[in-house]
Amino acid sequence: MAPNDQTTSLSTPITSSPTSKSFVSAHTTAITESSKLEPARTYTSTSTSTHATWSTVEHNILENNEYTRVSGAVIAIASVQPFSGKSHLSTGICFLDHMIDQFTSHGQIGITLRVSIAPRTHSSGCTVDGNDPDRVLVAHKAHVDYAKGSLVERPHDDDIFVACGAALGCALRGLVLQSARNGANTGSQTNGHNGLVSGTQNSSSVFCCPLDEAYAEADLRLSVGTPTSTSTQPSPKSSTATSTVNLAPYGTMPKCGRRWIGCYRCNLTPRFFDALMTHLQDGDHLLENRNYGGISSASLQLTKMRGHNAHHIVESSFKAFARVFRSCLDQFQSGGQRQHGCVMAEESRLSRVPVVEVTKPRTASRNRSTKETTIEIHVNLDEKPTTPINSGVELMNVIMTELRSHAGINFTIDCLGDTYIDDHHTVEDVAIALGQCLNASLGDKAGLARMGCAEAVAGGAKVRCVVDLSNRPYFEWDLELDEEYVGGDEEGFAAMRRGGSEGSSLCGNALTCEMLQHVFESLTIETRATVHIQVIHDSNADVVGHTRDLALASARAYGKALAECVRVDPRRAGKVASSKGTLSV
């Protein structure tokens, strides 16, 4: 492991800073090296309150679904609302608010999360006794840093990350258990107790979220043990929650990575996810007393795949987690059917839950004529492929056909280009015009899943493609195209001969490797998407012609990922999947 890699597990001790220990009241348990947080607690005041006292923190979870966790002098109160488009966040660290807001945009979960820090003095001006039940707790205001923007005096950063992660983990736990319960109720086999299926329900999801040059992979696995009797005893825990976060270095300027994003301390990111996963599994047993069952295991791997901008690295990580969490919830809810998440190599996107029918046609056409090419393209996102593709370059036809087939959409291409010169103008102009049509057919992207991740194979090549209809064009890939023509020289020369007539050859009928990259890049830029293509393995890398396998695997993965992106999710109620609220500007 590289020196800057950051792998943490939930066995990592959680300690309080010296400045915060004196503020822990009799109602709390200080964070100690036993790595345990205060048991779940709840404000009896409403979620809109701005202050309370320690004496108002009571066991009241089942009444208002708010969850409280204490770390040092910090108390965090969290509640969640599925499929809500609003969040109310005031953690005292503004970039942390922005990151948690990704749960709303990408996980379709409204979150209320507020932080209070015990003041040094009582409202009367007297020194606070650690056991004073009337000590005032003042919730932070949104968009205000608790340390007034200072990067020097920040005694509560660690406790804020831990308390917020823990409180949110408890709140999210309720969604997991409810989804598993609903999925069990739809099953054909029940144990007769509240309609629940005995045994264990499993859910797992992998998703990669791109953000310009960065993208992160989240791998989440959850198991829920449904109760086998009406016992009110908590379900036994079979394993410990695990969280492995590998995001460092956070950027490349400086080379060792950034320490700060605004007032957000980068190296505390794993602390947040550690606390979240611990309390996602262990949470509060009062929920289990209602026969929800318990989470028997929970594991998260969060990995930076690419990235040299700290802001993008962290944000793509939170987005990826939000997406896999929603995927796991939906898998529980559907009784085990995988509905979204990364489409694996052996899986067809079209074999999943059918795409929702749309009422408004999603079509576009483009006619383009220059001295070099004459092109006519038509796109229909909700129609099956019909006619053959005629790009004017043989292998380009194959690649576009593969992409179209795996995307489950229809586009037609008719191009007459100057292939008597070479393949350059023809394939470039086709990719540009197709991208422009795709972008026009997507409209404002409201209600779309927006992001897609897929893997595909061809021959000895396995490729992953990650697509985001972001309106922020960016393309990156790592294909080793070490041949002049896609498929090797002999394939290229054969295509030239097949394209000619009366014993002549057509040089532009062979697709060159440098233009293969240009095709995918031009298509991405004109679609106004962010796309990362990554080779997982190329077992025939030393075999002549292996670049054809790479090309076909890339086209298939691109198509499968695009199918995910254009999928309409009716639960978004026509809203754009973005914390900005729009993808149009």
Side-chain angles (χ1 to χ4, degrees):
M1 183 178 297
N4 286 324
D5 282 352
Q6 199 168 37
T7 304
T8 60
S9 67
L10 298 182
S11 60
T12 304
I14 301 175
T15 59
S16 296
S17 62
T19 58
S20 65
K21 287 183 179 179
S22 62
F23 300 121
V24 181
S25 73
H27 289 278
T28 66
T29 302
I31 306 299
T32 66
E33 292 191 355
S34 64
S35 186
K36 295 193 176 182
L37 285 170
E38 167 73 1
R41 302 215 170 165
T42 306
Y43 272 134
T44 55
S45 57
T46 65
S47 62
T48 58
S49 63
T50 57
H51 69 275
T53 65
W54 286 99
S55 59
T56 66
V57 179
E58 303 291 346
H59 287 287
N60 200 25
I61 295 171
L62 300 180
E63 279 69 24
N64 57 19
N65 292 319
E66 290 184 328
Y67 299 83
T68 298
R69 281 297 182 270
V70 176
S71 179
V74 174
I75 181 169
I77 307 97
S79 63
V80 296
Q81 182 64 42
F83 304 113
S84 170
K86 295 182 179 180
S87 287
H88 304 279
L89 305 169
S90 54
T91 66
I93 300 176
C94 297
F95 187 74
L96 182 58
D97 291 349
H98 181 45
M99 293 301 94
I100 297 173
D101 193 36
Q102 305 308 316
F103 284 78
T104 301
S105 302
H106 296 273
Q108 297 174 279
I109 301 169
I111 295 176
T112 297
L113 181 57
R114 291 185 170 87
V115 162
S116 298
I117 298 176
R120 294 179 179 274
T121 58
H122 191 275
S123 55
S124 65
C126 301
T127 302
V128 172
D129 185 336
N131 296 322
D132 183 358
D134 295 322
R135 181 172 44 184
V136 175
L137 301 176
V138 180
H140 283 289
K141 294 181 179 179
H143 314 306
V144 176
D145 181 70
Y146 85 92
K148 300 181 179 179
S150 171
L151 299 185
V152 179
E153 295 293 331
R154 306 189 62 84
H156 304 299
D157 281 9
D158 186 82
D159 289 325
I160 288 174
F161 275 77
V162 170
C164 287
L168 183 55
C170 288
L172 294 176
R173 173 184 174 81
L175 294 184
V176 172
L177 297 179
Q178 183 62 63
S179 295
R181 178 186 178 89
N182 292 344
N185 283 336
T186 63
S188 58
Q189 297 179 344
T190 62
N191 62 16
H193 298 295
N194 298 318
L196 290 178
V197 177
S198 301
T200 300
Q201 295 170 268
N202 299 312
S203 181
S204 63
S205 183
V206 176
F207 195 78
C208 297
C209 176
L211 186 60
D212 294 357
E213 91 301 333
Y215 88 86
E217 177 190 83
D219 185 336
L220 180 64
R221 301 171 188 271
L222 302 173
S223 295
V224 173
T226 52
T228 57
S229 70
T230 56
S231 170
T232 59
Q233 295 302 312
S235 300
K237 302 295 183 294
S238 60
S239 63
T240 302
T242 60
S243 171
T244 303
V245 179
N246 292 307
L247 301 178
Y250 294 86
T252 58
M253 301 178 189
K255 291 183 179 180
C256 61
R258 290 180 61 182
R259 295 168 295 165
W260 302 94
I261 303 173
C263 296
Y264 175 103
R265 201 184 299 262
C266 295
N267 64 3
L268 292 180
T269 306
R271 299 279 277 165
F272 174 85
F273 285 105
D274 285 353
L276 187 153
M277 291 301 294
T278 295
H279 291 265
L280 178 66
Q281 176 171 339
D282 293 335
D284 192 280
H285 297 314
L286 291 178
L287 284 175
E288 294 160 29
N289 293 343
R290 298 179 67 187
N291 288 327
Y292 275 56
I295 299 179
S296 54
S297 66
S299 68
L300 169 68
Q301 291 188 6
L302 197 56
T303 308
K304 177 183 69 177
M305 308 304 293
R306 290 176 181 161
H308 51 76
N309 180 295
H311 186 123
H312 292 166
I313 292 167
V314 176
E315 186 170 344
S316 65
S317 302
F318 273 82
K319 287 180 176 179
F321 178 81
R323 292 265 174 168
V324 292
F325 187 77
R326 167 49 58 194
S327 179
C328 284
L329 287 183
D330 290 349
Q331 191 174 347
F332 278 129
Q333 187 85 18
S334 65
Q337 185 176 15
R338 180 174 293 166
Q339 298 180 338
H340 42 96
C342 190
V343 185
M344 297 294 107
E346 66 280 0
E347 181 184 9
S348 168
R349 168 65 186 96
L350 305 181
S351 67
R352 293 185 175 183
V353 177
V355 175
V356 176
E357 292 187 7
V358 297
T359 56
K360 183 179 179 181
R362 299 190 293 171
T363 63
S365 297
R366 181 87 164 106
N367 294 319
R368 170 179 171 140
S369 182
T370 69
K371 291 175 62 177
E372 299 165 345
T373 57
T374 298
I375 301 173
E376 182 177 344
I377 291 180
H378 178 74
V379 170
N380 188 329
L381 298 180
D382 305 297
E383 182 179 74
K384 300 301 181 184
T386 54
T387 60
I389 287 174
N390 177 26
S391 69
V393 176
E394 186 177 291
L395 190 52
M396 180 72 165
N397 293 343
V398 176
I399 290 171
M400 290 294 103
T401 299
E402 290 286 341
L403 192 156
R404 180 179 70 173
S405 174
H406 285 79
I409 64 177
N410 188 29
F411 55 79
T412 60
I413 300 174
D414 283 296
C415 176
L416 179 61
D418 57 2
T419 50
Y420 53 84
I421 297 177
D422 67 358
D423 61 329
H424 188 109
H425 298 144
T426 299
V427 297
E428 177 185 48
D429 288 2
V430 165
I432 290 172
L434 177 59
Q436 291 170 346
C437 273
L438 285 171
N439 183 51
S441 66
L442 291 166
D444 62 4
K445 306 179 181 70
L448 300 187
R450 173 184 161 180
M451 295 183 180
C453 171
E455 297 175 358
V457 296
K462 184 175 183 180
V463 171
R464 169 188 281 171
C465 182
V466 183
V467 179
D468 179 11
L469 303 178
S470 60
N471 204 38
R472 293 159 57 128
Y474 182 86
F475 177 79
E476 184 172 343
W477 76 353
D478 62 358
L479 273 66
E480 290 290 338
L481 301 178
D482 55 359
E483 297 175 316
E484 185 170 357
Y485 298 97
V486 179
D489 286 354
E490 288 305 316
E491 172 63 24
F493 299 153
M496 294 179 194
R497 291 191 293 269
R498 289 191 295 268
S501 61
E502 299 179 357
S504 65
S505 295
L506 183 64
C507 57
N509 198 45
L511 182 63
T512 55
C513 281
E514 66 180 15
M515 287 312 298
L516 175 67
Q517 175 171 351
H518 202 33
V519 164
F520 283 103
E521 185 170 14
S522 296
L523 177 63
T524 298
I525 299 304
E526 295 301 329
T527 306
R528 299 195 63 77
T530 299
V531 172
H532 287 262
I533 297 178
Q534 181 182 27
V535 177
I536 298 175
H537 64 72
D538 182 12
S539 59
N540 294 331
D542 56 348
V543 176
V544 173
H546 75 105
T547 52
R548 181 185 174 92
D549 289 341
L550 288 173
L552 295 181
S554 297
R556 292 168 183 173
Y558 200 118
K560 290 164 72 173
L562 184 61
E564 279 286 280
C565 295
V566 304
R567 173 175 58 86
V568 176
D569 188 343
R571 299 173 303 185
R572 292 194 177 276
K575 296 182 179 179
V576 175
S578 171
S579 58
K580 294 185 293 185
T582 180
L583 292 174
S584 299
V585 293

